[in-house]
Amino acid sequence: MQWDWGAVADFMPHFWDGLLVTLQALALGSAISFVLGLVWALLMRTPSRFVRWPVGAVTEFIRNTPLLVQLFFLFYVLPEWNITFSALTTGVVAIGLHYSTYTMQVYRAGIDAVPVGQWEAATALNLPLRRTWTAVILPQAVRRVVPALGNYVIAMLKDTPLLMAITVLDMLGEARLFSQQNFQFTEPLTVIGVAFILISYLASVLLRGLERRLVR
């Protein structure tokens, strides 16, 4: 087998298009999962069981069904109910929703790890509940969970190729299309494999740097 640099050069414009889509899906999916995961975690701490039970049931269902099934459901079933999104939007929502059920558990662990004395101090100072959460509890909890959240960012990156199943041309989708059209598989698949490694490594370095800054 001979490495064909010409095939690499021909594939690179397609690679950059796929990389942009992959990074968009990763960034937007991560944002949804982080925000929605925090919402789930806070709802699970409400005194009302009529809120906790439905939230718990929904998040358990999402967490225990495959992401690929959820992608197919959102992409093929929702249009039958006259709810239609683009393929990329559907993929972003599916990734964000799926991983929000995991980040919820991370936030819950971080909140539970805040010392009881912090709650007692906020009560002694007669802080309003909203102020207690925003100024005392959540800043401490988020600092503790940054490494775990970072791990899920990398996990989401590795799940973005699933979007190819609903016609999104991410890096793998572009590589597959190029390979089928040109009958050259080694070069494009090797390029995206290296790209995933580099992006994962860069993300882990950035997250370690963020973790060190938050610990200060």
Side-chain angles (χ1 to χ4, degrees):
M1 182 183 66
Q2 185 176 3
W3 183 263
D4 187 349
W5 287 106
V8 175
D10 292 338
F11 172 64
M12 290 311 293
H14 304 277
F15 166 76
W16 295 119
D17 290 340
L19 176 62
L20 179 60
V21 172
T22 296
L23 294 179
Q24 285 180 329
L26 176 62
L28 296 175
S30 297
I32 293 173
S33 70
F34 292 164
V35 173
L36 189 56
L38 181 58
V39 172
W40 293 138
L42 294 177
L43 289 176
M44 288 297 292
R45 296 185 68 88
T46 59
S48 174
R49 62 183 180 182
F50 296 106
V51 174
R52 294 197 312 272
W53 287 3
V55 170
V58 169
T59 55
E60 283 294 323
F61 176 80
I62 295 173
R63 186 165 55 248
N64 289 290
T65 53
L67 175 57
L68 186 58
V69 173
Q70 295 166 15
L71 282 167
F72 282 159
F73 182 88
L74 293 177
F75 190 68
Y76 293 109
V77 177
L78 288 187
E80 296 183 1
W81 301 343
N82 296 319
I83 303 174
T84 305
F85 302 105
S86 68
L88 180 57
T89 301
T90 300
V92 166
V93 170
I95 289 177
L97 183 62
H98 183 80
Y99 276 94
S100 71
T101 62
Y102 293 95
T103 59
M104 175 192 75
Q105 299 296 342
V106 173
Y107 285 122
R108 288 179 65 184
I111 293 170
D112 291 340
V114 175
V116 176
Q118 298 295 311
W119 294 93
E120 295 173 346
T123 302
L125 292 172
N126 200 28
L127 291 180
L129 183 60
R130 178 179 297 180
R131 182 69 175 169
T132 299
W133 277 105
T134 57
V136 179
I137 305 303
L138 288 181
Q140 297 183 63
V142 170
R143 288 192 187 98
R144 298 169 186 271
V145 302
V146 165
L149 292 177
N151 290 336
Y152 283 118
V153 171
I154 296 173
M156 279 184 269
L157 170 65
K158 292 188 289 186
D159 272 347
T160 54
L162 291 175
L163 303 188
M164 185 179 63
I166 57 170
T167 73
V168 175
L169 288 179
D170 67 325
M171 288 194 294
L172 181 60
E174 291 284 2
R176 180 187 180 191
L177 183 62
F178 179 87
S179 299
Q180 291 175 339
Q181 292 175 343
N182 297 274
F183 302 101
Q184 292 173 305
F185 294 87
T186 302
E187 291 82 5
L189 292 176
T190 301
V191 168
I192 67 165
V194 172
F196 272 110
I197 293 172
L198 293 177
I199 296 170
S200 297
Y201 177 74
L202 178 60
S204 65
V205 171
L206 292 174
L207 289 165
R208 283 198 297 269
L210 177 60
E211 181 184 356
R212 286 194 295 268
R213 289 179 62 87
L214 291 175
V215 169
R216 291 177 183 175

